[in-house]
Amino acid sequence: DADVTQTPRNRITKTGKRIMLECSQTKGHDRMYWYRQDPGLGLQLIYYSFDVKDINKGEISDGYSVSRQAQAKFSLSLESAIPNQTALYFCATGARANTGELFFGEGSRLTVL
Amino acid sequence: GNSVTQMEGPVTLSEEAFLTINCTYTATGYPSLFWYVQYPGEGLQLLLKATKADDKGSNKGFEATYRKETTSFHLEKGSVQVSDSAVYFCALSPKSFQKLVFGTGTRLLVSP
């Protein structure tokens, strides 16, 4: 089983719908991140969390919200999806003892029609 | 602010050719530097890293040297294989390590 699991792996939805992407990890890491990947833009940070009570906005948080339900779970929500949120979304984890290494899930591909 | 600039791809090579993917950075202070690789259909995984000037990171035949004077961290491999075909991301982390800042990625295509 993967250490960082994202669900769903693929989702097609319509404009205005609420969408939740879920991430769970078995690595025991405190830090969790949500990134968005667009062609030609690399990865952009949406939100990050250093523990259950610590949530921080990244560079592109507008239109997104997150919930850290437990140390192992970090969900990303789009309250009202729009087409330019069509992208590949990655969850990542990192240890508190910072080495700079993040561990990524396999990604959730979201298409908003 | 912090930013990373990578050469645009795709980089197309024949098997056993020499690879260089350029990466330069802008940062306050002295960040740690990383190369991540993304194979088709997978998430990113750490390839190598360097935490201070003149450090050389290496893994799987890939190398990169932290050059403070040129603010660069170029990725090299002496002889690429078809299995090296992937997207390569250069990234930096400030010493305080709030988060990683990624470049836009460079796609490498290696043909037999």
Side-chain angles (χ1 to χ4, degrees):
Chain A
D1 288 343
D3 293 324
V4 183
T5 302
Q6 294 183 230
T7 56
R9 294 292 311 281
N10 288 284
R11 180 72 183 268
I12 299 173
T13 190
K14 295 181 178 180
T15 298
K17 295 292 188 181
R18 184 178 186 274
I19 295 296
M20 178 180 285
L21 306 179
E22 298 185 333
C23 177
S24 62
Q25 52 116 344
T26 58
K27 297 194 73 68
H29 287 164
D30 292 308
R31 301 181 175 193
M32 298 188 74
Y33 304 78
W34 276 104
Y35 281 91
R36 167 177 169 159
Q37 184 179 26
D38 296 279
L41 293 179
L43 274 75
Q44 298 172 278
L45 183 63
I46 307 172
Y47 271 95
Y48 60 106
S49 170
F50 282 179
D51 65 42
V52 174
K53 296 182 180 180
D54 180 46
I55 305 289
N56 304 281
K57 292 183 177 180
E59 290 90 356
I60 58 163
S61 59
D62 287 348
Y64 301 95
S65 62
V66 291
S67 173
R68 185 82 183 265
Q69 300 95 325
Q71 186 206 35
K73 296 185 182 295
F74 192 38
S75 299
L76 176 71
S77 293
L78 289 68
E79 295 301 326
S80 180
I82 56 176
N84 75 2
Q85 292 177 312
T86 293
L88 185 57
Y89 291 86
F90 285 103
C91 176
T93 72
R96 180 185 298 274
N98 166 42
T99 64
E101 180 174 7
L102 298 187
F103 296 83
F104 284 80
E106 293 181 323
S108 295
R109 184 169 296 281
L110 176 65
T111 302
V112 183
L113 302 177
Chain B
N2 298 310
S3 66
V4 176
T5 302
Q6 288 182 238
M7 62 188 292
E8 290 193 18
V11 174
T12 304
L13 295 173
S14 298
E15 206 165 24
E16 300 183 1
F18 184 86
L19 168 71
T20 300
I21 299 178
N22 291 336
C23 170
T24 58
Y25 67 90
T26 301
T28 52
Y30 301 105
S32 295
L33 300 174
F34 305 84
W35 278 100
Y36 278 77
V37 59
Q38 183 182 27
Y39 297 105
E42 299 183 10
L44 282 72
Q45 56 187 275
L46 180 66
L47 180 60
L48 54 84
K49 68 179 182 182
T51 58
K52 62 183 187 297
D54 299 325
D55 268 2
K56 177 184 285 188
S58 61
N59 186 26
K60 300 181 180 180
F62 291 90
E63 294 183 338
T65 301
Y66 189 142
R67 301 290 189 195
K68 186 178 67 173
E69 61 278 10
T70 56
T71 62
S72 64
F73 193 55
H74 304 321
L75 182 68
E76 296 181 337
K77 187 175 185 182
S79 177
V80 294
Q81 305 300 312
V82 172
S83 58
D84 293 328
S85 297
V87 181
Y88 292 82
F89 292 90
C90 186
L92 69 81
S93 167
K95 278 293 184 273
S96 61
F97 189 56
Q98 294 296 311
K99 52 190 182 287
L100 283 175
V101 176
F102 287 90
T104 55
T106 302
R107 182 176 299 278
L108 171 65
L109 300 171
V110 181
S111 57

